Amino acid sequence: MPTPLLSVRNLRVSFSREGKWTEAVHGIDLDVMAGRTLGLVGESGSGKSVSSLAVMRLLNDKISRISADSVVIGGDEIKDYTERQMADVRGKRIAMIFQEPMTSLNPVYKCGYQVSEMILQHEEVSKAEAKERVVSLFKQVMLPRPEAIYDSYPHELSGGQKQRVMIAMAIACHPQLLIADEPTTALDVTVQLEILKLLRKLQAETGMGMIFITHDLGVVAEIADDVAVMHNGEILERGTVNDILNHPQHPYTQGLLACRPPIDVRLKRLPIVKEFLDGEWQGGKEQILRDLQITDEERRAHLKQLYSREPLLKVEHLQTWYPLRKGVFSRVYGHVKAVNDVSLEVYEGETLGLVGESGCGKTTLGRSILRLAEPTGGKVWFDGIEVTALKGQALRDFRKQAQIVFQDPYSSLNPRLTIGEAIAEPMLVHGIEKDRKKSRTIVCDLLEQVGLKAEHYDRYPHEFSGGQRQRICIARALAVNPRLVICDESVSALDVSVQAQVLNLLNRLKAERHLTYIFISHDLSVVRFMSDRVVVMYNGKPVEMDDADVLFEHPQNDYTKKLIAALPGRGKGN
């Protein structure tokens, strides 16, 4: 057997809270070979990111303890290195790409300076030579206009471009090992595919080893050679990517694979990880399809009933343009046509999926329908009432019937209000229930409906996980008994297992409360699972609209074909 590039033995990490030490990583072993990628897979809190930060000794010594029998990189034992010695290891021998590039890049320094700083730190070169190297790196990671981006600030770049800057910084000093921590989680499928291809290309050119941290086994199929599955600080299963994806042995791994919405079949609901851990699914994929797959007859009957009704919402030639200004007098010299002549209908009880890359106009369309962004032109009709003509109390009355669930639940909730107060607030604003005792009873019932507990009423948002906070936002949207709910990327930041629970919850609430959804997402597999029909947006316009199954199986537009082809999970693991 060849010698591993990185070898970690019996790694343990503990954290202190209120004077008590709790072990988060329980004696794991890791091996990464040169030229190969280890996919480290698990849910949030499983210990995968903490393990990598511990290897690089980036955890706060005041609140953490790290121990290991050995940590060897390139034949050198580094577990007892001083901080000065580790400073030479970081960036030069081991580099890391963090999940959120905007928080990893300093907003007050230009991108080129931040990357050149890494080179100047580890190598004896002049500033001019460092700049030349950085421009070359920007070309290598396929950034457009590399010289211009050298002089750009992080906020001037897109998410994909910022991630490429982080990759350029990570490979600037030719590290032996690259750790990529969820580098594609919040990216569009097409940008995600480009980043994965770029990492594979760089690995082939340099021969570096890589640890790719993710919760998405579909992404692992595209990038990894070997896989280690983590849960509660332990590695439950390891093997080659083909073995893990095609023949998973541990119920937890089987659950992670099963809770991802399939792209080729339609299920009544998604299996969840807990059901596998509890032994409820013994027959694997065959049992899931037998028990949960929707038949063609059931699908046809559902659609026939759905489209026999009148549309609840009509959008006619809607436009939302934003002016571009310059000069002392802010003269308008053009417009950003975020929504540009969109017409569509949404039927009562339907889920209409809106898909497309960032900047295509799907979120602006959702906000324009609710008049949260004021349309420039066109009309919106809701149950026969022209929304675009409403003012004052009439507009507020409409918003009782149409609610929105935003992408980031934490920023959607007031940190100073308890979750009970946050859910009750819209009822008080709209005069639905002014008696606080009765409103508390309603809120507690809503908490139970979304899978939380009544005793959570007096807790604050920071005391909940991301998935729980999203449930709170769903409960708040339901507090005014709406007929239409717009879900704007409402599951994109969640682990696949938590995502499955929230998607199942949305579908259950839809059936129980007779809701209509507009479901906005860049994740096509999620959109197919949720939607009856799908609208594909590009540059502010719909380029394709069809029944969800027909669109995914027989896409007509080239852009739609490109989005579907970019779906993760169609790589080495299949």
Side-chain angles (χ1 to χ4, degrees):
M1 290 288 291
T3 303
L5 170 64
L6 173 73
S7 177
V8 179
R9 291 292 175 268
N10 194 29
L11 177 67
R12 295 180 180 274
V13 183
S14 300
F15 291 97
S16 174
R17 185 177 183 183
E18 298 177 354
K20 182 180 179 181
W21 289 91
T22 303
E23 191 171 78
V25 178
H26 311 299
I28 67 168
D29 298 340
L30 292 173
D31 287 315
V32 182
M33 312 304 292
R36 290 179 71 85
T37 297
L38 172 68
L40 199 55
V41 180
E43 299 169 277
S44 296
S46 63
K48 53 191 190 298
S49 294
V50 165
S51 300
S52 298
L53 292 169
V55 168
M56 295 187 71
R57 300 257 292 280
L58 288 174
L59 298 173
N60 189 332
D61 291 339
K62 295 180 181 179
I63 60 168
S64 66
R65 290 176 181 169
I66 303 170
S67 68
D69 293 346
S70 67
V71 179
V72 178
I73 178 72
D76 296 327
E77 175 64 71
I78 65 170
K79 76 179 180 69
D80 295 321
Y81 270 19
T82 65
E83 180 57 30
R84 181 179 291 274
Q85 289 173 308
M86 284 303 300
D88 289 331
V89 170
R90 298 185 198 112
K92 192 171 184 181
R93 302 188 69 179
I94 307 175
M96 192 164 187
I97 306 168
F98 296 96
Q99 178 174 356
E100 179 43 70
M102 193 64 208
T103 58
S104 304
L105 293 169
N106 192 321
V108 302
Y109 291 110
K110 294 178 179 179
C111 294
Y113 172 82
Q114 296 187 58
V115 181
S116 63
E117 189 180 34
M118 172 74 74
I119 297 171
L120 294 168
Q121 168 76 22
H122 292 289
E123 299 182 20
E124 294 182 4
V125 297
S126 68
K127 290 184 178 180
E129 290 172 320
K131 179 177 180 178
E132 188 178 334
R133 280 263 299 274
V134 172
V135 172
S136 176
L137 281 165
F138 284 176
K139 290 178 181 176
Q140 191 177 359
V141 299
M142 295 180 287
L143 277 167
R145 303 173 291 103
E147 291 84 1
I149 286 181
Y150 184 95
D151 291 318
S152 299
Y153 290 96
H155 72 271
E156 298 179 285
L157 307 183
S158 70
Q161 289 173 336
K162 284 194 285 277
Q163 198 61 283
R164 289 169 190 267
V165 171
M166 286 298 300
I167 294 172
M169 186 185 298
I171 66 170
C173 296
H174 312 291
Q176 295 171 282
L177 176 69
L178 178 65
I179 300 174
D181 186 5
E182 301 270 15
T184 63
T185 296
L187 301 180
D188 297 326
V189 286
T190 50
V191 179
Q192 174 178 264
L193 183 62
E194 290 173 3
I195 295 294
L196 296 178
K197 285 181 177 178
L198 172 60
L199 290 173
R200 287 202 301 266
K201 176 175 176 286
L202 293 172
Q203 187 178 43
E205 291 172 354
T206 63
M208 65 183 178
M210 184 157 46
I211 297 176
F212 194 95
I213 299 170
T214 184
H215 62 262
D216 191 338
L217 282 161
V219 173
V220 164
E222 297 288 344
I223 192 73
D225 301 295
D226 308 293
V227 178
V229 181
M230 285 195 74
H231 181 56
N232 289 341
E234 299 179 352
I235 293 180
L236 302 182
E237 188 169 2
R238 66 178 87 219
T240 66
V241 67
N242 283 313
D243 287 341
I244 296 297
L245 297 189
N246 296 324
H247 307 288
Q249 300 302 307
H250 198 281
Y252 179 73
T253 312
Q254 295 168 359
L256 281 183
L257 284 164
C259 68
R260 175 76 176 162
I263 197 65
D264 53 344
V265 296
R266 184 176 284 274
L267 301 180
K268 298 172 185 175
R269 68 171 182 87
L270 294 171
I272 61 174
V273 170
K274 185 179 182 298
E275 293 170 341
F276 283 84
L277 294 175
D278 292 345
E280 294 181 31
W281 295 106
Q282 299 288 343
K285 186 175 182 180
E286 292 74 17
Q287 183 191 358
I288 292 170
L289 293 179
R290 184 177 65 248
D291 294 351
L292 298 181
Q293 186 174 1
I294 296 175
T295 65
D296 292 341
E297 291 77 11
E298 289 171 328
R299 173 77 175 153
R300 283 194 293 269
H302 166 71
L303 294 179
K304 183 179 179 180
Q305 182 186 27
L306 186 64
Y307 298 123
S308 64
R309 309 164 183 166
E310 286 296 312
L312 177 67
L313 180 78
K314 291 183 179 182
V315 178
E316 299 177 351
H317 305 291
L318 194 66
Q319 296 178 332
T320 306
W321 295 5
Y322 297 107
L324 297 171
R325 302 177 184 273
K326 67 178 180 180
V328 176
F329 299 104
S330 297
R331 182 177 60 84
V332 176
Y333 68 93
H335 290 85
V336 174
K337 299 178 181 180
V339 175
N340 193 17
D341 193 22
V342 173
S343 297
L344 54 84
E345 295 178 340
V346 185
Y347 288 79
E348 190 160 11
E350 181 182 27
T351 297
L352 181 74
L354 280 182
V355 299
E357 297 171 286
S358 296
C360 70
K362 56 188 187 295
T363 292
T364 305
L365 174 58
R367 292 172 64 87
S368 299
I369 288 170
L370 298 182
R371 297 271 302 278
L372 297 175
E374 201 60 43
T376 309
K379 294 181 179 180
V380 176
W381 298 81
F382 181 85
D383 199 18
I385 298 171
E386 187 185 343
V387 175
T388 39
L390 296 178
K391 295 179 181 179
Q393 185 61 46
L395 180 58
R396 286 191 288 275
D397 289 342
F398 160 69
R399 286 180 177 154
K400 281 195 293 187
Q401 300 187 69
Q403 288 285 301
I404 186 167
V405 180
F406 294 101
Q407 177 174 359
D408 183 355
Y410 193 71
S411 63
S412 304
L413 295 168
N414 188 331
R416 297 179 180 179
L417 295 181
T418 68
I419 66 161
E421 292 169 336
I423 296 170
E425 187 178 38
M427 290 193 294
L428 297 173
V429 168
H430 289 289
I432 294 174
E433 184 53 74
K434 295 182 179 181
D435 185 289
R436 292 189 178 273
K437 187 175 181 181
K438 290 182 179 178
S439 72
R440 186 181 180 105
T441 301
I442 295 171
V443 170
C444 289
D445 182 55
L446 281 168
L447 288 172
E448 297 279 356
Q449 286 186 44
V450 299
L452 297 173
K453 297 179 180 178
E455 54 262 36
H456 290 156
Y457 185 101
D458 293 312
R459 295 187 187 178
Y460 289 88
H462 72 272
E463 299 180 77
F464 295 87
S465 68
Q468 289 173 321
R469 285 196 288 264
Q470 199 60 283
R471 290 170 183 265
I472 294 164
C473 290
I474 293 168
R476 184 179 61 178
L478 297 178
V480 292
N481 295 313
R483 297 171 66 188
L484 171 70
V485 178
I486 297 177
C487 301
D488 185 7
E489 298 279 11
S490 54
V491 298
S492 63
L494 303 179
D495 290 334
V496 287
S497 56
V498 179
Q499 176 181 273
Q501 295 172 36
V502 173
L503 293 177
N504 288 339
L505 169 66
L506 287 169
N507 278 336
R508 177 173 62 79
L509 292 171
K510 177 186 173 185
E512 291 174 356
R513 289 173 163 259
H514 309 291
L515 297 169
T516 302
Y517 289 149
I518 295 177
F519 194 88
I520 301 170
S521 180
H522 64 261
D523 189 327
L524 274 74
S525 59
V526 169
V527 167
R528 179 169 188 180
F529 169 73
M530 291 293 294
S531 303
D532 297 299
R533 287 185 302 144
V534 174
V535 177
V536 182
M537 295 277 293
Y538 180 68
N539 282 347
K541 294 183 177 182
V543 295
E544 188 163 0
M545 184 188 310
D546 211 331
D547 172 87
D549 292 351
V550 173
L551 186 139
F552 278 87
E553 290 166 13
H554 306 289
Q556 301 300 309
N557 186 272
D558 289 341
Y559 178 69
T560 309
K561 293 176 182 177
K562 177 186 173 185
L563 288 178
I564 294 172
L567 279 167
R570 302 192 173 199
K572 294 182 287 185
N574 292 326

